[in-house]
Amino acid sequence: MTELVSGRDVLRQARALYAHYRPAVEPTGMKVAVIRFTPASTDPPDWRVRLEASRISAEQKIKSFEHLGFQADHVVLPPGVDRRAFREVLEGYNADPATRAIIVQFPPPRDLAPVVDGMDPAKDIDALLKGRSPYPACATAEGIYRVAEPYATDRPAIAVVGGKGFVGQGVVNMLRANGHDPMTLDHGDRLERVRDADIVISVTGSPGILTPDHIRPHHRVVIDSGFVPQADGSVRGDVRAEAYTVPQNITPVPGGIGPVEMATLMERVVRQEVDPNVVSWKAAPGPYLERARFTADRTTAAPTATATAPSVAAAARLRGTARPAAGAPPASAQPAAAPRLPGRQASPRLPPQGGGGPSR
């Protein structure tokens, strides 16, 4: 049975862990600035969708910082804002001693992206400046790594789909820094290679790019970091809906990695400004079987799980975000492997994500 790995549980844990810092923070007037852009009515639909995801993410960040007692400036720049105006906003927050952290929601308009490099590195809480930031990766990438790590204690095969994008690079770097050797898939690579992995991480932002042809019952966990708002008010992730009941564990969209990103940002700002010894939130894994034991043990009524009892949410707790979980049939009853995808099946050229990008 597929277990849903709830990012909302992680965020609730973080809010409880860090709430007691509020009385110390609130009187100081310390501030966090979250800057985002708005589309023009004439902009292409895909750009408007990306900025709508950015809006949702910014509002979640504002709530998270205010929960800790920080003042949170939500700066909404109008369509057509020029470099000079954007630079003035950024430099104002750089110079303001009360502003302790700055987040520029990605993506900025292309001609404004170079201005982001003018951010004060000491205030770059989301690693937008990469090597000049105090942090090794954006909050989304760190959150993904921390969710994946409890499933990876025996150095299993890990695939990162979209590994050359901004978030993907951060995930890959953190995995490598901690002794893993992930398979990195990106534009031009054949996506069916994810079948060979034990853990699948997808950060493309391409709705439904991973299907039941790619996701397998032996996958310990599938981490979906996609978040694309739809016209009907729903959102879609990188994993197609019909693949949700295939792996052993999966992060839902919404309610998965987005809240984990918020928990990571909360922890970072508390550690940076209040308590360098702050307790870190933890992601406990759901139960899973190693691939070598999967075929033999999958048919048992109550297989011995490699991991401890899960702290994941049941479908009902995700308030409609989850699909009904279903037990996968034994390996002997699985259909034959899907044929190789025609041509060079892969994710499209990946836009920058995370680092202030869409929340899920």
Side-chain angles (χ1 to χ4, degrees), residues 40 48 50 76 83-84 124 130 137 170 194-195 200 236 243 265 287 313 322 326-327 331 340 347:
R48 296 201 300 271
R50 293 176 70 189
V76 182
R83 286 194 182 193
R84 180 189 59 80
D124 180 19
K130 297 186 177 180
V194 303
R195 300 172 190 165
V200 178
R236 294 183 64 195
L265 287 169
R340 293 172 65 84
S347 62

Side-chain angles (χ1 to χ4, degrees), residues 243-268:
Y244 257 63
T245 59
V246 177
Q248 299 183 67
N249 296 273
I250 191 169
T251 61
V253 177
I257 293 304
V260 170
E261 177 193 4
M262 302 303 135
T264 304
L265 287 169
M266 292 172 72
E267 181 183 318
R268 285 184 177 186

